[in-house]
Structures are given as C-alpha cells and as structure tokens.
Amino acid sequence: MFGTGADGGLTDLTNLVLMCAHHHRLLHRSGWEVRIAPDGLPEFLPPAFIDRRRKPRRNNLHQPLPFAA
C-alpha cells in the first residue's frame, strides 16, 4: 500500500528523489518544484521570478541507472 505525500502525491519508489537535508529544505522554501520526467529522471523547475518559462533543469553529472530507463 502506498502512502500519500505532503502535497497529495503518491509515495512510491518511482516518485522519489534523493536529496540531502539542506537541499530538501531549500526546495520547499524557495518555490522550486521537482518532478519525475518520462525517462525516470528528476527535473527541477525554477520559480517564475527566476525563469518565467520555468524551463526544467537537470543534474547532468550522472547517467541514469540501467533499470531506470
């Protein structure tokens, strides 16, 4: 059985992003959003005052895990 997250979304392994405590709190306080893209990788959406189009950003330092594709 899956639980419900703080914002009403499902809590399951396909909907999680591993973050350190500092960046987790920063994400909640800054207006940024995170979502899982169709390829299974997280995308970070800036608030409109940073980017009016809210173009998603990714951490390109790491390649996806073979089972995530």
Side-chain angles (χ1 to χ4, degrees):
M1 178 108 192
F2 297 110
T4 304
D7 295 325
L10 288 178
T11 301
D12 63 44
L13 292 177
T14 61
N15 194 26
L16 297 177
V17 176
L18 183 61
M19 301 176 77
C20 69
H22 168 75
H23 286 106
H24 181 106
R25 288 188 300 273
L26 185 63
L27 181 79
H28 282 286
R29 295 177 181 156
S30 65
W32 283 74
E33 292 181 31
V34 64
R35 69 180 181 196
I36 304 299
D39 63 2
L41 296 176
E43 296 180 328
F44 299 87
L45 290 83
F49 72 88
I50 292 176
D51 179 359
R52 201 170 12 167
R53 296 177 300 132
R54 301 197 71 211
K55 181 181 177 185
R57 286 145 164 96
R58 289 185 168 202
N59 179 349
N60 293 319
L61 294 176
H62 306 287
Q63 297 300 315
L65 297 173
F67 58 82

